[in-house]
Amino acid sequence: MSAKLEERSIVVPGDLIYEGRIRTGDNTYRDRENVYATKVGLVNYSKDRVSVIALEGGYAPLVGDLVIGTVTDLELGQWLVDIDGPTDAVLTVSEATDKPFRTSLDMTQILDVGDLVVAKIFDLDRNRTPLLSILGRELGRVNEGFVIRITPSKIPRLIGKKGSMINMILKETRCNVTIGQNGRILINGRSRGDEELVERVIRMVEDEAHTSGLTNRIQEYLKSIKEEKK
Amino acid sequence: MSKQRKRKPAKTWERIDGRKHDELRPIHIESGVLPNADGSAYIEMGRNKIIAGVYGPREMHPKRLSKPNMGVLRCRYHMAPFSVDPRRSPAPSRRDTEISMVMRDCLEPALFLERYPRSVIDVFVEIIQADGGTRCASINAAAVALADAGIPMKDLVSACAAGKYEGRLILDLGDYEDKKGESDMPVAYMPKFEQVTLLQMEGIMTREETEECVRLAVDGCKKIYEIQKEALKKKYAAVREEAGQVAAEAEFEPEPEPEPEEAEEPTTEDEPTEDEEQ
């Protein structure tokens, strides 16, 4: 029954991180009495479980996630949306509009191939295909702003504890930012310069996600840029 | 005279490049070399130069090849026309197809493919310069690239060849030893599980020699495993050090809980964002 490594040390797949009985958290697995890491990341020992915070990784869709995707195909009564996950997601007409579905309905009026869409995953079907919904506030087709992509595993860091990081960035830059859990981020600011600043800051967060004191450093950086402008 | 002759080579016997019988060629691995791939690695093993790229898990095309209950690992081993002398045709040969299959089979046990139904993980391996033992070096690079892509793995896979040359068992055969030697045995190994995932052999060896050869190769794999681990960690250690210094200079207290939360409640975390947008 013992932790094998220091808190927050970097592990690679196959590293032994715990000996004995304990609950296994994200990115770990148990083999008999031992717990091993399955991804490159930082070890996190908490009271009753051990987990690994991934530093790399694709997007694994979960119910409740807000995602930004591209409509790739239009079928009878549903759209296929690329959300950078293992499979395409499905958006049905019943989850896109309150009107009943009729063959006379022009689906391209709601969403067309190539459109960007902000949607919520409301369920996974039995094949684990994500089912999307755009019924709700702030959901639906994206009409303005631009989208950047970061590694999905770093999204939680960008949001921070209770949104500390992203709220700070929003306050300092006064841009609108919508974060998709799948690693796509929609930025909508007053000027192109503001938007570029947000992108630069998000890239900084992505590169230094595994370091400590990051929120403070980013804030200092944003303030220094503001002062330069004055 | 004949006695002396016999004894002399026994004392001064040396491999063609001056290595000991159980010595690896110098290995250098780098991870994350391709910006557009989900994960990548570059390996130099002796004079082998190999680059590996990993994409996925992603939607599989053509769709009929995907499996409804599990993901598919697709490997492509390819030698560049200029990787060997004389120039080689860029079209995939029988040998390329075989090594692609062998790589897939030896990497599959390390992955959790059952987590990705109807998806595919693509591994592309390009041999830029070949010097014997490319299949082992490719497996080493592919394993690092898979880990770099953040694909869940039970363990890394390390591979190394052993064989027989001039009647002696040697580790990590180079091109010359591979061609002139009596026997060659590539082995891939998962060090944490002590499981062999690939065992091929050509040539002739006795039973005892075969057993000794496997042992030799497995020891080589364990050494390579350490280098692979080092390569994966190196990418982060550098940034961490740099950022650590900056933090120290600015006299920031390290936050008690500064690192990513698990994205358990993304909705609540997102809400402030949405409020801001109104």
Side-chain angles (χ1 to χ4, degrees), chain B residues 248-270:
Chain B
E249 279 165 23
E251 286 176 40
F252 283 135
E253 288 275 297
E255 289 167 54
E257 291 159 272
E259 297 305 332
E261 290 180 10
E262 285 114 289
E264 271 167 10
E265 292 166 282
T267 38
T268 50
E269 284 169 342
D270 271 327

Side-chain angles (χ1 to χ4, degrees), chain A residues 8 10 12 14 26 29 38-39 56 86-88 127 129 137-138 156-157 161 177-178 181 209-211 213, chain B residues 58-59 118-119 148 150 152-154 192-193 235-236 240 243 255 257-259 261-262 266 273 277-278:
Chain A
R8 304 229 175 272
I10 298 176
V12 301
D26 291 346
Y29 79 103
T38 62
K39 281 190 187 177
E56 301 284 349
T87 55
D88 280 351
N127 293 324
T129 303
R137 197 159 51 88
E138 306 290 331
R157 185 68 197 95
K161 277 259 146 146
V177 178
T178 308
Q181 292 289 331
H210 57 298
T211 59
Chain B
R58 60 182 180 180
E59 189 92 359
R118 291 177 301 114
S119 313
D148 183 51
M153 293 169 88
K154 292 189 185 99
K192 278 281 148 64
F193 287 86
K235 190 171 153 189
Y236 298 100
R240 190 180 233 187
E255 289 167 54
E257 291 159 272
E259 297 305 332
E261 290 180 10
E262 285 114 289
T273 323
E277 279 169 346
Q278 283 178 343

Side-chain angles (χ1 to χ4, degrees), chain B residues 175-221:
Chain B
D175 191 39
Y176 184 83
E177 292 164 331
D178 195 3
K179 283 178 180 142
K180 299 282 174 204
E182 293 98 289
S183 187
D184 172 28
M185 178 192 277
V187 174
Y189 184 69
M190 291 202 288
K192 278 281 148 64
F193 287 86
E194 304 181 346
Q195 279 175 1
V196 172
T197 62
L198 166 75
L199 184 69
Q200 289 184 296
M201 194 182 98
E202 59 179 311
I204 297 167
M205 274 192 280
T206 66
R207 187 177 158 173
E208 289 72 32
E209 279 171 341
T210 313
E211 280 171 7
E212 182 55 35
C213 218
V214 172
R215 253 192 301 276
L216 198 62
V218 164
D219 284 347
C221 289

Side-chain angles (χ1 to χ4, degrees), chain A residues 1-12:
Chain A
M1 299 285 255
S2 63
K4 299 301 283 182
L5 296 165
E6 262 175 58
E7 175 82 3
R8 304 229 175 272
S9 47
I10 298 176
V11 291
V12 301

